[in-house]
Amino acid sequence: MANGQWYPPEWPERIRALAEGTLTPVAPRRAATVMLLKDTESTPVVHMLRRRASMAFAGGAYAYPGGGVDPRDDDRQIRWAGPTRAWWASRLGVDETAAQAIVCAAVRETYEEAGVLLAGPTADTVVGDTTGEEWEADRAALVDRDFSFAEFLERRGLVLRSDLLGAWTRWITPEFEPRRYDTWFFVAALPEGQRTRNVSTEADRTVWIRPADATAGYDKGDLMMMPPTIATLRQLGAYATAAEALAAAPGRDMTPVLAQARLEDGELVLSWPGHDEFTKHIPTGGASA
C-alpha cells in the first residue's frame, strides 16, 4: 500500500454483500476516544498507542486511548464541573444521560489506557500523580468492569472535569464492518503533575509524537492508522499549542462521518464524505487500488 491506511482484506467481499443486500449492518456501539496533547518547545505532541497485532479490530494500527461507553454511567448522578450535561447533549447530538456516559467514557478510557485522570477533588482542581498502588488497583478494577466510572468517582470523592475536554469530531464505523462503533473524538491537555504510562492491555507501544511526524510516517507507509486517526492528526497539525486546539474544539462540526460504498463503472468505490484521500476503488475481481 502507498500509505499506512488500515485496510482489512475481507472488506471487498463484505462491501459487495452490503451492496447486494445480503449483509445486514450491525448496530454501532457508542464509544469515545481522546487525543491527549502536551506542549513542547516547538509544537504540541499527541499521545498514541499501537494496538497489539493480535487485536481483532485494527491490530497493529496506531490510535488514541479510547473504548466503549459503559451504560452504567448513563444516569447515575456524579459530581460534575464544566459545561452542563444539557450543553454536552447539544454538542454531542444525544440526550443528557447519553452525553454524561460518553464524557465519562472519554475520561475513563484516558485513565485506563494512559493513567491520566481528568478529575479532581474540587471543580477547579485535578488530581496529581496517579501511579500509587491504590490508584493502580482502582484503574485495574475499572478495566475489569468491577464498577462503573461513576461509582469510581463517588468512591474517590472526585469531580469529573468536563471543562478539560473539547469535542472534536464524530466517526461511525462503516456499515459493512462486523464490529461497529459510533465514536466521539475529544481533545484534552495533559494535566500538570500527571504523566502517561503504558498500561493498556490492548497496546504494545505508546508514544508522544508530533502530529506532523505521525502523518509523515503514515504517508510513507511506516505507521498504520485508520482513516479517523490520520484525519484528526492532519487537523491537529494546524495548532501551535494544546490550548489553541482546545479553544478551537467548540467551533468544530460534529456531523458524523460514515463511509459510503457504491458500485460505479464495474468497481466498488469506498469513500468517506469530506475526506477524499481515503477513497478506495476496488475492481470487481477483488484487488484494491
Side-chain angles (χ1 to χ4, degrees):
M1 60 186 171
N3 55 32
Q5 184 174 344
W6 181 67
Y7 188 81
E10 65 272 15
W11 270 13
E13 181 180 348
R14 296 187 65 84
I15 291 170
R16 289 190 193 90
L18 181 67
E20 293 166 359
T22 59
L23 176 67
T24 301
V26 300
R29 292 180 54 203
R30 297 175 301 169
T33 190
V34 177
M35 302 176 288
L36 187 64
L37 302 173
K38 71 175 180 180
D39 291 326
T40 66
E41 290 183 1
S42 57
T43 184
V45 289
V46 62
H47 183 68
M48 301 192 75
L49 320 170
R50 185 175 65 187
R51 295 173 61 81
R52 294 185 184 277
S54 58
M55 296 294 294
F57 184 80
Y62 279 81
Y64 312 114
V69 169
D70 186 343
R72 294 178 296 178
D73 291 330
D74 274 22
D75 53 11
R76 189 183 183 100
Q77 288 299 308
I78 64 174
R79 298 170 66 196
W80 183 278
T84 66
R85 292 168 180 79
W87 184 93
W88 278 108
S90 176
R91 182 78 182 112
L92 301 179
V94 296
D95 61 32
E96 290 188 32
T97 56
Q100 173 175 292
I102 293 164
V103 172
C104 278
V107 178
R108 186 198 75 234
E109 287 291 333
T110 307
Y111 184 46
E112 287 183 4
E113 298 198 339
V116 171
L117 183 57
L118 304 177
T122 65
D124 57 359
T125 60
V126 180
V127 296
D129 187 3
T130 61
T131 59
E133 290 185 5
E134 291 185 0
W135 285 109
E136 180 57 25
D138 277 352
R139 192 198 64 78
L142 283 169
V143 171
D144 293 337
R145 298 296 182 262
D146 291 344
F147 44 73
S148 71
F149 191 66
E151 291 172 313
F152 162 76
L153 292 173
E154 182 176 312
R155 286 157 53 107
R156 283 277 181 176
L158 296 175
V159 181
L160 185 146
R161 292 289 304 276
S162 82
D163 54 318
L164 300 181
L165 287 169
W168 192 262
T169 190
R170 179 181 178 184
W171 287 63
I172 301 177
T173 308
E175 291 183 333
F176 47 81
E177 262 291 305
R179 295 175 180 82
R180 300 188 64 215
Y181 301 91
D182 184 353
T183 305
W184 285 263
F185 285 69
F186 295 84
V187 65
L190 179 68
E192 185 175 353
Q194 294 194 36
R195 54 193 173 95
T196 56
R197 294 177 289 139
N198 184 6
V199 290
S200 173
T201 58
E202 299 179 355
D204 60 12
R205 185 187 183 209
T206 63
V207 295
W208 281 102
I209 188 169
R210 294 192 317 145
D213 291 339
T215 57
Y218 168 89
D219 290 337
K220 291 187 294 185
D222 295 338
L223 302 182
M224 185 168 64
M225 301 178 201
M226 294 175 282
T229 309
I230 186 62
T232 49
L233 282 168
R234 295 202 196 284
Q235 293 157 2
L236 288 174
Y239 301 96
T241 65
E244 283 187 14
L246 278 164
R252 290 191 49 81
D253 183 8
M254 295 296 291
T255 302
V257 179
L258 173 64
Q260 300 174 348
R262 66 185 186 277
L263 285 168
E264 185 177 286
D265 298 329
E267 292 183 321
L268 288 166
V269 180
L270 175 61
S271 61
W272 279 259
H275 300 273
D276 292 343
E277 75 164 294
F278 305 126
T279 299
K280 287 283 185 180
H281 295 265
I282 306 165
T284 53
S288 62

